[in-house]
Amino acid sequence: MAKQKKGEKAAGGGLREQLRVPVGPVDLTTYDTRATPGFSGSKDDGKVALDDLGAEISDWQERLFAEGRKDGNRSVLVVLQGMDTSGKGGVIRHGAGLMDPQGLKITSFKAPTPAEKRRGFLWRIRQAVPGPGMIGIFDRSHYEDVLIARVRELVTPNVWNRRYDQINDFEAELAANGVTIIKCYLHITYEQQKSRLESRLDDPTKYWKYNPADVDERKLWPDYMEAYHAAIERCNTPHAPWYVIPSDRKWYRNWAVTTLLLETLKELNPQWPPADFDVEKEKQRLAAT
């Protein structure tokens, strides 16, 4: 058997196949947060591999964008979830940074306003769904309404229990209307989170990233893990599957999410729209000017 080259994608199918969560009970403790499925090589190799994806993913993004401008109805939605410091912003900065901003719609969800609460938990999510030809990225999402809402007891158990089915129905509706959903759980350990929070306190250039409330949420880690187990298990459907992204290694996390997106775009296979005008006639008209 030929030896795998450094940084080469490992055998065993596409990365989506390797990172997809199987249907059934979920136990995140069985997932290695430092693993690098689908990739062999060093941190430097990983950074180079991510950069190497730039031209290809940009081309496919432009194809999708062009399709959407010419009556296409397809779009892609990347949902990023994870505990504080898991790297949602890093994925956006390094992965989405490879693409054309005009074809991206990035939404960061904070605590809902009183007005948003009155409209139902999915109302503000619907407003952020990417339109035709667009790639949308959610930094947190509708899943906060079965995560923090559950852990912090912001609503009663009857309410958050109903939301799993409401989320499944919502995602099925999106899929039926041309939205391909990629849901990524950025998986880090309790120890890794502490290390990243400590690094923010040790570096004045990172003070702005530190939020004292993160320590309060950290105390509830077991409750959040229980909530994540339930959310991933109960909302892991064929049209909107979950992927667990090992995220202790930041470089791998960035490469993996970007690769999932690239594989999805290639499967969608958007085509350049044909001209809706007489090309030869326009060449002649232009030459005459």
Side-chain angles (χ1 to χ4, degrees), residues 16 75-79 129-130 136 138 142-143 167-168 170-176 178-184 235 237-243 264 268:
R16 289 182 301 169
S75 61
V76 177
L77 173 60
V78 180
V79 174
V129 171
F138 284 0
H142 42 298
Y143 282 94
I167 287 173
N168 287 336
F170 168 64
E171 292 177 348
E173 176 190 333
L174 293 186
V179 183
T180 298
I181 307 168
I182 308 170
K183 299 186 300 194
C184 300
C235 298
T237 59
H239 52 265
W242 274 101
Y243 301 92
T264 299
L268 289 173

Side-chain angles (χ1 to χ4, degrees), residues 6 8 42 52 59 90 108 112 131 167 172 177 197 203 222 227 229 236 240 245 258 261 271 277:
K6 291 183 74 176
E8 184 181 18
S42 67
D52 287 347
D59 178 68
S108 179
I167 287 173
N177 284 282
L197 289 173
D203 183 352
H229 288 163
N236 188 28
I245 315 297
T258 306
L261 176 56
Q271 299 297 304
F277 50 84

Side-chain angles (χ1 to χ4, degrees), residues 211-232:
N211 183 348
D214 290 346
V215 177
D216 299 322
E217 295 301 296
R218 180 173 164 77
K219 294 175 183 178
L220 299 171
W221 184 282
D223 298 323
Y224 274 106
M225 289 301 100
E226 183 179 353
Y228 265 112
H229 288 163
I232 295 173

Side-chain angles (χ1 to χ4, degrees), residues 92-109:
I92 294 171
R93 186 164 57 255
H94 296 285
L98 298 172
M99 294 178 281
D100 187 338
Q102 73 171 336
L104 291 173
K105 183 176 184 179
I106 299 171
T107 308
S108 179
F109 290 99

Side-chain angles (χ1 to χ4, degrees), residues 2 21 23 25 33 46 80 102 131 157 230 256 279 281 289:
V21 178
V23 173
T33 57
L80 301 177
Q102 73 171 336
V279 176
K281 181 178 179 181
T289 61

